[in-house]
Amino acid sequence: AAVYFDFDRTELDREAQDAIRYAATKLKSDPTLLVEIRGFCDYMGSFDYNEGLSQRRADKVKNELVRVYRINPDRIVANGRGKLLNPKTRFRGNRRCNFFYSK
């Protein structure tokens, strides 16, 4: 599951909440599991701006896991990766956070 965002936003909608709930369930079912949350932006905007926005998105998802689901923050890495170059349009599919699990 991925968390998708509206253009230039970090707010979490119902679909985002569902994806985060799924991640929390997975993390709670295995206390040895770690997760990296990678945040991305679409092509629009400067490199520096999108670096910051992607990090804010990843932080938002991490904070939700910690605050709402009481996941230990030491098990979560929030990593803003900046903008994706394709497609070169405003594209919701690129405005996202993905979960990468490891032990």
Side-chain angles (χ1 to χ4, degrees), residues 24-92:
T25 300
K26 189 169 182 151
L27 289 163
K28 285 185 174 198
S29 71
D30 184 350
T32 66
L33 198 60
L34 306 173
V35 66
E36 177 188 3
I37 302 165
R38 293 182 191 165
F40 299 96
C41 298
D42 61 18
Y43 184 77
M44 307 302 288
S46 73
F47 175 83
D48 289 338
Y49 182 80
N50 282 316
E51 284 288 314
L53 179 58
S54 66
Q55 185 64 52
R56 289 190 301 278
R57 288 174 173 169
D59 289 339
K60 180 80 165 195
V61 173
K62 177 181 179 173
N63 292 339
E64 192 76 0
L65 285 168
V66 171
R67 185 180 60 80
V68 174
Y69 297 99
R70 306 284 188 234
I71 304 297
N72 183 333
D74 294 337
R75 296 175 60 198
I76 308 166
V77 173
N79 190 359
R81 301 305 277 286
K83 63 179 165 180
L84 294 169
L85 300 179
N86 288 306
K88 292 184 178 186
T89 60
R90 292 185 194 178
F91 180 61
R92 183 173 165 89

